[in-house]
Amino acid sequence: MTNVPKLFGSLAFNERVMKDRLPAKTYKEFQRAVAAGEPLSRELADIMAYAMKDWALEHGCTHYTHWFQPMTGITAEKHESFIQPAADGRVIMGFSGKDLIQGEPDASSFPSGGLRATFEARGYTAWDPTSYAFIKDDCLCIPTAFCSYTGDVLDKKTPLLRSIAALDKSAKRVLALFGIHTEKIVTNVGPEQEYFLVDKKLWEKRRDLVYCGRTLFGAKVPKGQEMEDHYFGVIKPRVKAFMEELDEELWKLGVLAKTEHNEVAPAQHELAPIFSPVNIATDHNQLMMEYMKRIAMKHGMVCLLHEKPFEGINGSGKHNNWSISTVEGKNLFDPGDDVYNNDQFLLFLAAVLKGVDEYQDVMRATVASAGNDHRLGANEAPPAIVSVFLGTELTGVLEAIAADKPYKAHHETMMKLSGETVPALEKDNTDRNRTSPFAFTGNKFEFRMLGSQASIACTNAYLNTIFAEELDWVAEELKGVKPAGLSKAVKALVKKIYLAHKRIVFNGNGYTDEWVAEAEKRGLLNLKSTPEALAAMSAKKNVDLVVKHGIFTKSEVESRVEIQYELYNKTLNIEALTMLDMLHKDLLPAAEKYLKDLTTTAMNEKALGIKPDTTFLDKLDKATIQMFADGTKLEKVLLAAEKIADQKKAGTAYHDKVLAAMDTLRASGDAVEAMLGSEYLPYPTYGDLLYGIND
Ligand code: ADP
Ligand code: MG
């Protein structure tokens, strides 16, 4: 049995290690500087670096790296060994405060969206002391932010850190009205991570999975997820062994891996950590995804993090549970026992509603990706329409306030299961509506639109900034209000906000067509595709928002949008090319071989004087010709899209033309696949992949 408390955080340079290894004065000064957001003195950095190096060497490290999160959405690292030449041809292991604080990786091959020319390829990494250093593969990893020589932000971490600071400032302003004073405001996030596991040997045989992370062909299997027998089902031994090792490795890094279970689709699973401050949650989610992939490999499996690896069954998302608290631990989204009289909560809630309504477009844009487009609006994920679920109780309170009426709570708080043997359960005051993109779940908001492979940094940076903006607005509205009149003023403001923004509240089933029609009537946006959604990011009001709060400059926003378009276009380009590759190398030869054998049989029959029945032969022949023709059409539109230099315009072409042609080719390809006899199948089928892990 693993001693988890001993194991936990053993590879993280966390508070416990710092306390043990740093002189008390240094530790205190470090904490103070970090809390105040001040730069560390050179002397302090030197002491810190020395302690870190000692600790790393004791754990067998030979290298260190500035670990950063460029715009690729994954992490980057360049390993430097600790060696320094000494007398007599020997080396010593050295690591200075300067090495800790600043690094200089060549930045020329990271996406910059036009911010940086290759000849000025220098990039800088700067230590983020708010996240713990950790050890991975005998390498000391130092979490860092990444920017260009000219100071332009080139990563996902910096805007997130800035948004935390912005929210800290704005939330304190509003809290002060209620006489609440805190050292620091903390954004807490618990990202639930969904993923698929497939057998590695089968995976290797599918070019689409290898190149694109999702299947581009694949006829439906007789059994999908309709029996609902996988969700929370018994975990298979190989998967269990994987989950155990994953938990252990994550625990060592200080990741609060908590819940492992089977998800709805066959071969789909989920890992949820316990929430933590968002900058740490972001680092940890990246580590989680990385370790899922590498540990799966060790167990002969491949972890698919794509949003829609298989058509016809659920895809994978990442539920971003988001709340705001004081550093002392007071959750500012906690409604308490008497919601109607909890002015602070009601005001924060109203500010969230206003923010989501006003910035629904940019919230949608932060989750836009080629992969996520397949998931949003399918039957397993919220539609591309942003709305807020509040549940009956909170909606009742807000309605009462809007009607200037007192509110009477009428819900039962305890649920009795049976006589005396089973204890009564405490009931959450919100039902778990699973179809809402942004649901209030007791004391946090669960944003469910995020894609499974995306970094959570961008979405949370925007969530924090939007909320900071609304709190600033609220603070202005309540300026000059005396404490005695505060409650009345808050109720009036909550009423005003609710009446202006209640269209964003939707408590019904978000997966239905009725909601899509209703949302349109309400004037809510339905940005269905990535190219459509990305345009929202550069809308003036959305640029103003981030510029005002010091998150991005205008050109940084533009560069990010450019990168996202590029990423979308490249993804579709690779997918289309892979499809054509599979068509020509796999599907066509397989169909031709089967056709040849069928023709030979028919000819043999004819030679024997039997009139051959060619119904099936004709059907397969027709389907094959259709598939080839669809492939030719795809080639044509792909060529046209590749020629468009403007990324935004290319995005529209890729979406409207290339993706449409891919869908058509997929349909005809799948029709052919479904007709092939087992011995002719060119690659493992959906059945093989989804039910391939049985040991
Ligand atoms: P589910 O959505 O599957 O019902 P839970 O609601 O229990 O699961 O929790 C999901 C995630 O929400 C977990 O990562 C949990 O740590 C996180 N969470 C719980 N409370 C908070 C909070 N106050 N702020 C942010 N995340 C939270
Ligand atoms: Mg959830």
Side-chain angles (χ1 to χ4, degrees):
M1 201 42 198
T2 320
N3 183 341
V4 181
K6 190 155 171 247
L7 191 77
F8 190 82
S10 56
L11 293 180
F13 195 76
N14 55 20
E15 301 287 329
R16 193 176 56 189
V17 185
M18 283 187 232
K19 246 189 218 155
D20 274 1
R21 290 177 179 256
L22 293 171
K25 205 173 127 242
T26 314
Y27 175 66
K28 250 194 161 146
E29 175 51 20
F30 171 74
Q31 282 216 314
R32 194 204 56 78
V34 169
E38 285 171 15
L40 301 186
S41 70
R42 187 58 193 270
E43 194 197 344
L44 190 75
D46 276 336
I47 302 174
M48 196 73 175
Y50 191 85
M52 253 190 212
K53 181 194 74 180
D54 248 15
W55 174 77
L57 293 181
E58 276 168 32
H59 283 81
C61 289
T62 50
H63 289 70
Y64 72 92
T65 183
H66 275 199
W67 187 73
F68 59 105
Q69 303 179 19
M71 294 302 298
T72 50
I74 48 175
T75 57
E77 47 197 72
K78 181 179 79 164
H79 295 195
E80 303 273 0
S81 74
F82 286 116
I83 63 164
Q84 279 175 6
D88 315 327
R90 289 174 307 132
V91 291
I92 52 162
M93 301 301 253
F95 184 59
S96 69
K98 186 171 173 288
D99 297 332
L100 168 64
I101 288 182
Q102 189 177 316
E104 198 189 317
D106 178 358
S108 57
S109 292
F110 291 107
S112 80
L115 270 185
R116 178 180 32 76
T118 314
F119 63 87
E120 334 169 291
R122 249 191 300 174
Y124 288 108
T125 47
W127 178 33
D128 164 21
T130 63
S131 189
Y132 302 132
F134 56 90
I135 293 171
K136 185 163 67 89
D137 302 327
D138 297 337
C139 183
L140 170 68
C141 299
I142 301 151
T144 55
F146 180 47
C147 67
S148 75
Y149 182 63
T150 47
D152 290 314
V153 178
L154 295 177
D155 71 345
K156 303 217 168 207
K157 187 73 175 280
T158 312
L160 181 67
L161 295 174
R162 289 176 175 172
S163 77
I164 295 169
L167 184 54
D168 177 70
K169 213 164 86 207
S170 311
K172 278 177 182 163
R173 265 181 88 185
V174 178
L175 287 181
L177 297 170
F178 296 94
I180 303 172
H181 298 279
T182 170
E183 275 288 302
K184 209 165 92 181
I185 296 292
V186 182
T187 311
N188 288 307
V189 167
E192 302 166 61
Q193 178 72 46
E194 291 180 326
Y195 60 97
F196 278 82
L197 288 175
V198 294
D199 189 88
K200 184 165 174 281
K201 289 210 173 64
L202 300 175
W203 172 85
E204 278 164 358
K205 292 186 184 134
R206 298 222 30 154
R207 265 179 265 268
D208 46 6
L209 286 182
V210 174
Y211 297 151
C212 311
R214 77 172 178 111
T215 54
L216 299 167
F217 288 106
K220 280 207 172 62
V221 270
K223 182 175 185 271
Q225 62 191 42
E226 55 280 88
M227 301 297 279
E228 293 168 340
D229 52 355
H230 194 255
Y231 192 50
F232 283 13
V234 177
I235 301 170
K236 305 231 171 78
R238 183 145 50 124
V239 175
K240 182 89 178 68
F242 154 83
M243 286 179 175
E244 274 172 13
E245 190 174 342
L246 177 63
D247 278 342
E248 273 192 26
E249 291 305 315
L250 291 174
W251 288 337
K252 282 186 205 164
L253 293 166
V255 178
L256 292 158
K258 171 81 173 164
T259 316
E260 303 259 24
H261 65 79
N262 285 355
E263 257 300 330
V264 174
Q268 193 186 25
H269 311 277
E270 179 184 296
L271 171 56
I274 297 171
F275 67 92
S276 50
V278 64
N279 58 324
I280 292 175
T282 302
D283 287 359
H284 284 180
N285 183 250
Q286 292 288 350
L287 286 172
M288 191 183 273
M289 291 194 284
E290 182 181 334
Y291 274 74
M292 278 177 171
K293 284 191 190 157
R294 66 156 79 181
I295 292 169
M297 283 280 178
K298 273 179 74 180
H299 292 260
M301 299 182 290
V302 173
C303 171
L304 303 176
L305 289 170
H306 194 282
E307 285 79 13
K308 194 77 175 180
F310 302 100
E311 217 173 70
I313 57 169
N314 280 9
S316 302
K318 187 137 52 189
H319 292 177
N320 189 80
N321 294 274
W322 173 81
S323 73
I324 312 293
S325 73
T326 65
V327 74
E328 296 80 21
K330 178 181 165 51
N331 181 348
L332 301 171
F333 290 149
D334 183 355
D337 294 332
D338 182 5
V339 194
Y340 184 80
N341 290 309
N342 189 343
D343 290 334
Q344 176 268 312
F345 169 77
L346 288 173
L347 195 56
F348 273 57
L349 177 71
V352 170
L353 290 185
K354 182 171 182 293
V356 178
D357 190 24
E358 286 174 349
Y359 295 101
Q360 41 174 301
D361 53 350
V362 81
M363 278 175 61
R364 160 71 182 98
T366 68
V367 301
S369 71
N372 215 17
D373 278 1
H374 298 289
R375 182 180 153 259
L376 294 179
N379 58 0
E380 78 268 22
I385 307 160
V386 178
S387 66
V388 184
F389 168 85
L390 289 181
T392 31
E393 166 124 16
L394 283 189
T395 311
V397 171
L398 291 175
E399 286 291 340
I401 292 172
D404 296 318
K405 285 195 180 125
Y407 176 72
K408 269 204 267 11
H410 44 63
H411 71 104
E412 274 182 54
T413 49
M414 298 301 259
M415 199 161 42
K416 243 185 154 57
L417 289 185
S418 86
E420 280 103 62
T421 42
V422 183
L425 300 177
E426 199 174 329
K427 235 166 105 175
D428 229 330
N429 57 6
T430 52
D431 189 9
R432 294 286 165 116
N433 180 316
R434 294 280 164 193
T435 67
S436 173
F438 200 76
F440 183 75
T441 48
N443 58 6
K444 62 186 191 290
F445 287 93
E446 185 170 345
F447 192 23
R448 303 200 179 103
M449 285 172 101
L450 285 78
S452 46
Q453 58 185 336
S455 156
I456 62 169
C458 178
T459 295
N460 285 296
Y462 271 91
L463 281 182
N464 289 345
T465 310
I466 291 167
F467 197 45
E469 170 66 15
E470 300 305 347
L471 289 175
D472 275 353
W473 182 86
V474 161
E476 285 299 315
E477 288 283 307
L478 294 175
K479 215 176 185 170
V481 174
K482 298 270 175 322
L486 185 64
S487 189
K488 210 167 150 226
V490 167
K491 286 274 184 331
L493 188 56
V494 168
K495 175 180 172 178
K496 179 171 144 184
I497 296 175
Y498 181 63
L499 287 177
H501 299 285
K502 71 184 269 192
R503 66 169 184 168
I504 200 76
V505 178
F506 177 63
N507 292 325
N509 183 353
Y511 291 2
T512 61
D513 292 338
E514 288 78 30
W515 168 233
V516 176
E518 162 75 15
E520 197 181 335
K521 258 197 246 150
R522 294 189 189 187
L524 298 179
L525 292 168
N526 187 0
L527 303 170
K528 290 202 189 88
S529 72
T530 295
E532 241 184 298
L534 285 180
M537 230 168 220
S538 18
K540 184 170 179 313
K541 74 171 174 74
N542 297 332
V543 174
D544 288 349
L545 168 80
V546 287
V547 171
K548 177 179 164 193
H549 291 274
I551 315 298
F552 294 121
T553 60
K554 187 164 185 280
S555 58
E556 283 168 350
V557 175
E558 278 160 9
S559 76
R560 257 147 229 263
V561 173
E562 180 82 2
I563 290 170
Q564 290 306 315
Y565 273 113
E566 242 178 72
L567 204 63
Y568 178 83
N569 299 341
K570 281 181 188 162
T571 305
L572 262 78
N573 186 264
I574 294 170
E575 287 185 351
L577 288 172
T578 305
M579 263 195 123
L580 291 168
D581 207 42
M582 287 174 79
L583 171 69
H584 297 129
K585 293 202 172 75
D586 300 326
L587 267 173
L588 266 177
E592 294 296 347
K593 183 158 187 286
Y594 197 11
L595 281 171
K596 189 176 137 215
D597 289 354
L598 290 169
T599 313
T600 309
T601 309
M603 282 181 357
N604 288 346
E605 282 173 350
K606 216 167 166 186
L608 290 171
I610 307 164
K611 189 170 177 289
D613 180 349
T614 60
T615 319
F616 180 70
L617 172 61
D618 292 341
K619 198 175 157 199
L620 181 61
D621 191 39
K622 270 212 190 84
T624 308
I625 291 169
Q626 182 63 50
M627 174 174 78
F628 180 71
D630 291 340
T632 311
K633 262 186 236 149
L634 175 60
E635 269 170 342
K636 213 174 118 199
V637 289
L638 181 62
L639 219 67
E642 280 171 345
K643 286 205 184 105
I644 306 173
D646 179 273
Q647 292 295 329
K648 207 171 160 186
K649 283 193 188 126
T652 310
Y654 271 107
H655 177 266
D656 295 356
K657 299 283 193 293
V658 177
L659 195 59
M662 282 168 64
D663 285 345
T664 312
L665 174 58
R666 164 146 201 170
S668 53
D670 288 356
V672 169
E673 186 201 300
M675 274 185 250
L676 296 178
S678 293
E679 63 177 290
Y680 298 95
L681 283 169
Y683 41 68
T685 62
Y686 264 34
D688 302 331
L689 291 166
L690 293 172
Y691 301 99
I693 296 166
N694 294 302
D695 49 343

